[in-house]
Amino acid sequence: MKVLLVDDHAVVRQGYASLLRALLPEVQLREACDGEQALQRVQEEIPNLVIMDIGLPGISGLETTRRLRQRLPQLRVLFFSMHDELPLVRQALDAGAIGYLTKNSSPEVLVEAVKRTAAGHAYIEQPLATQLACNPASAGGLDPRLRELTQREFEIFVMLARGLPPRQIAEKLCISSKTLSNYQTLVKNKLQISSQAELVHLAIDSGVVRVGLESA
């Protein structure tokens, strides 16, 4: 079984890679540090499964998944993220992912998710699956204005709502401050808001962020 692990934090990525190699010795594991490298790795050799983080520099995990699935509709992608907000889970599934797992999961759950998704079965971490079933409005009922955002605009919206400084957002996405400023203006125009406070309130009301949630 060929698996591609995509995560921009080297220590985290290598740690999970070592874990998977130990628990799944039959796995041939390759690594990628960002979306661009992931696209290149898949072009070189198509894996059975891509394990994808959401918050990648440059091309986001959501956008990378969308591009991969456009190119290879049968490619299986399992999101493995620290974020458990239902709208983000829905965004991942809408991008074409076959599964979603948080990094709070135990090694046993990770292994089970990898086995099931690589075999073509959908897998959503049990607490998230329960929330999606019990809160269909939260899962799929985003504010209509948010549905007008592109994947990149939505990602910037989330980071702004979490209070990340513009410079940090620009660095994380590998874009200039001017480009980020243009995105901010575009996002606010699409959302019909004029202030950071309105943006945060919209994010909280839509379930995109939760009060007290630390950004990362």
Side-chain angles (χ1 to χ4, degrees), residues 166-187:
R167 176 179 292 183
Q168 185 177 341
I169 296 175
E171 290 177 353
K172 186 173 181 64
L173 299 179
C174 298
I175 60 178
S176 68
S177 297
K178 182 178 180 180
T179 299
L180 176 62
S181 179
N182 290 338
Y183 268 119
Q184 287 180 273
T185 300
L186 183 60
V187 167

Side-chain angles (χ1 to χ4, degrees), residues 4 35 40-41 44 59 79 101 149 160 175 200:
L4 175 64
Q40 180 181 342
R41 291 278 191 269
E44 294 169 352
I59 307 173
F79 270 90
L101 194 67
L149 300 180
L160 288 170
I175 60 178
V200 171

Side-chain angles (χ1 to χ4, degrees), residues 58-161:
I59 307 173
S60 71
L62 293 171
E63 176 63 17
T64 301
T65 297
R66 187 186 66 79
R67 294 187 188 185
L68 286 172
R69 293 274 298 169
Q70 279 186 338
R71 189 180 303 172
L72 299 166
Q74 301 306 313
L75 185 66
R76 294 156 186 164
V77 179
L78 169 66
F79 270 90
F80 189 41
S81 170
M82 64 167 290
H83 301 301
D84 62 356
E85 299 92 335
L86 296 189
L88 291 181
V89 177
R90 175 57 60 189
Q91 284 276 324
L93 298 177
D94 287 347
I98 194 173
Y100 196 103
L101 194 67
T102 69
K103 291 181 179 177
N104 291 326
S105 303
S106 67
E108 293 77 17
V109 171
L110 173 59
V111 168
E112 176 67 14
V114 169
K115 288 181 177 179
R116 288 184 61 82
T117 52
H121 304 291
Y123 188 98
I124 299 177
E125 184 180 345
Q126 188 56 53
L128 293 179
T130 300
Q131 290 181 62
L132 287 170
C134 295
N135 300 277
S138 295
L142 283 177
D143 186 295
R145 291 172 292 174
L146 293 179
R147 293 188 175 278
E148 297 300 316
L149 300 180
T150 65
Q151 296 281 5
R152 172 46 58 89
E153 290 164 358
F154 184 84
E155 184 178 19
I156 289 174
F157 165 74
V158 172
M159 288 190 281
L160 288 170

